[in-house]
Amino acid sequence: MADTVRKLQCASEAAKRREAYSVVPHKYKKVLIFRTIGLLSDFVIAQWRAISEKAIKKRGCFTAALSGGSTPVFLYKKLSRENALPWKKTHIFMADERFVPYEDDRNNFSMINRTLLGHLNIPKENIHPISTDENMPAASAVKYEKKLISFFRTSGNCLPQFDLILLGIGEDGHTASLFPQTESVKEVKRLAMAVSSKNKTKKDRITITLPLINNAANIMFLVTGEKKSKIVKEVIEKKNSLLPAARVKPENGRLFFLLDEDAGRLLKNN
Ligand code: 6PG
């Protein structure tokens, strides 16, 4: 009888999961396609809960680096209502920042504060923005790198390891502020650096680098919308793509591509 009940429970769990997303089989990465941004956000929150509990049990704290842009806003607003998560032991860092004042609408930290952190009982000292008060982006990048080294107490070749990094993908294949054909994509030593935009209408930026990203325990790309479907196909399926997002290959961590049906519509086996 107990065995039948267990089998029924497993079947209903699998059915529930099937409703939430479909799996596109890949060797080193988990490509999941969700019917709605709500189901995608629920998955991230469930993973956030599991990863944070494990990290806190192991090291006493949970570290996450968050991206800006429009895609994660829905998730951040939903996450801001998860008061039972261990926010007092959670440290929030930035994956990148535009070199504009906090008050500027383009400032990523300002958006993350507005949609997430400003609603949470998270200690101020657990929030680690990239300062944009310096006189130039390079100075901000050096200051942020020093903060990373001091927080993670690493030096030399020992890289800090984030428990979770949330990333987006731009239509040109950029991620964080690692833009195609910029020095930032080739950086192998620094943890953070300034990126000057070729497009003068865009502001200079500060970004974490691939060595730091690829040392993370869990990396999640959140990508939605039909406009991203072509770049998503290249990043996921093209062998040896030089696109910055395609160069996110965690050394030992888990890599997730969390897509909606529009963004994943061109993928094989979908
Ligand atoms: C930023 C982000 C950037 C973003 C992509 C996708 O500073 O804008 O860090 O890397 O994730 O550009 O942006 P959307 O989510 O708006 O499509």
Side-chain angles (χ1 to χ4, degrees), residues 94 96-99 106-109 130 132 205-206:
M94 299 298 294
D96 67 336
E97 188 53 277
R98 293 85 175 273
F99 194 65
R106 293 166 295 181
N107 184 286
N108 284 339
F109 179 60
I130 297 173
T132 56
R205 305 222 179 167
I206 297 98

Side-chain angles (χ1 to χ4, degrees), residues 66-73 76 94-98 106-108 111 166-172 174-179 202 205-207 221-224 227-228:
L66 306 184
S67 282
S70 55
T71 305
V73 169
Y76 293 157
M94 299 298 294
D96 67 336
E97 188 53 277
R98 293 85 175 273
R106 293 166 295 181
N107 184 286
N108 284 339
M111 178 275 283
L166 298 186
L167 295 172
I169 301 180
E171 289 183 60
D172 61 355
H174 81 260
T175 190
S177 286
L178 301 165
F179 288 95
K202 290 219 181 249
R205 305 222 179 167
I206 297 98
T207 187
F221 281 109
L222 280 63
V223 194
T224 60
K227 282 193 297 184
K228 300 285 181 78

Side-chain angles (χ1 to χ4, degrees), residues 179-188 190 193-195 198:
F179 288 95
Q181 283 103 41
T182 62
E183 288 307 301
S184 62
V185 186
K186 299 176 205 153
E187 180 58 38
V188 293
R190 284 177 286 180
M193 64 189 286
V195 183
K198 291 199 173 84

Side-chain angles (χ1 to χ4, degrees), residues 49-61 163 218:
R49 180 174 295 106
I51 295 166
S52 60
E53 281 169 6
K54 186 177 166 198
I56 289 166
K57 204 168 168 184
K58 191 173 169 192
R59 289 192 331 279
C61 79
D163 297 303
N218 297 276

